[in-house]
Amino acid sequence: MMLGAIVTAFLVIGVVLVGYMAFLFWTDPAKGLRETTHRIEKLPSVLADRYTAFAVLGLGMIAFGDYPIITVYFLAGSIMGLSDGAIYARAGHPHMKHTASGVLSVLAMIVSAAAWVTSSGGA
């Protein structure tokens, strides 16, 4: 039980830190870049490792995930896809790949949530 509490503490710390970074980028992108020490010229490389990380998470969902976790994974994907699509659409840029990704993630989330509700919770 002690290890579970430690894991939960790590998760809480991670959520607080990532939530703080999200808040910074939403409210003051320049401050967000300063605080996180990201560099605009390195963002393509940063995005490459972010996409790789999400692919690894997806593989983990396939191998070990259960429907509640898979549902949350697709919720995160829908937030990213729809948000990116909205950002690009408002700026007058092509956005359909991002928007479609968000819509497909919503559909996948609905299906995984239905599977969660109608099963014992295992994938």
Side-chain angles (χ1 to χ4, degrees):
M1 187 59 157
M2 181 63 165
L3 288 177
I6 294 169
V7 169
T8 300
F10 281 131
L11 284 168
V12 168
I13 292 166
V15 167
V16 168
L17 291 174
V18 171
Y20 173 67
M21 289 182 277
F23 173 78
L24 286 177
F25 278 105
W26 279 112
T27 59
D28 188 346
K31 185 174 182 183
L33 284 170
R34 283 192 310 274
E35 288 286 322
T36 60
T37 67
H38 280 297
R39 300 291 179 257
I40 289 175
E41 70 275 8
K42 294 296 183 185
L43 287 182
S45 296
V46 169
L47 285 171
D49 65 37
R50 295 301 186 272
Y51 280 118
T52 301
F54 273 92
V56 169
L57 285 171
L59 289 172
M61 298 300 123
I62 292 167
F64 306 111
D66 59 11
Y67 291 124
I69 301 300
I70 294 167
T71 301
V72 173
Y73 174 80
F74 284 121
L75 171 61
S78 65
I79 291 168
M80 287 189 300
L82 293 172
S83 296
D84 288 356
I87 289 165
Y88 287 122
R90 280 193 302 264
H93 299 300
H95 65 90
M96 282 312 299
K97 289 181 181 179
H98 292 92
T99 302
S101 169
V103 169
L104 291 173
S105 291
V106 168
L107 293 174
M109 181 183 66
I110 291 168
V111 172
S112 63
W116 174 12
V117 169
T118 60
S119 75
S120 62

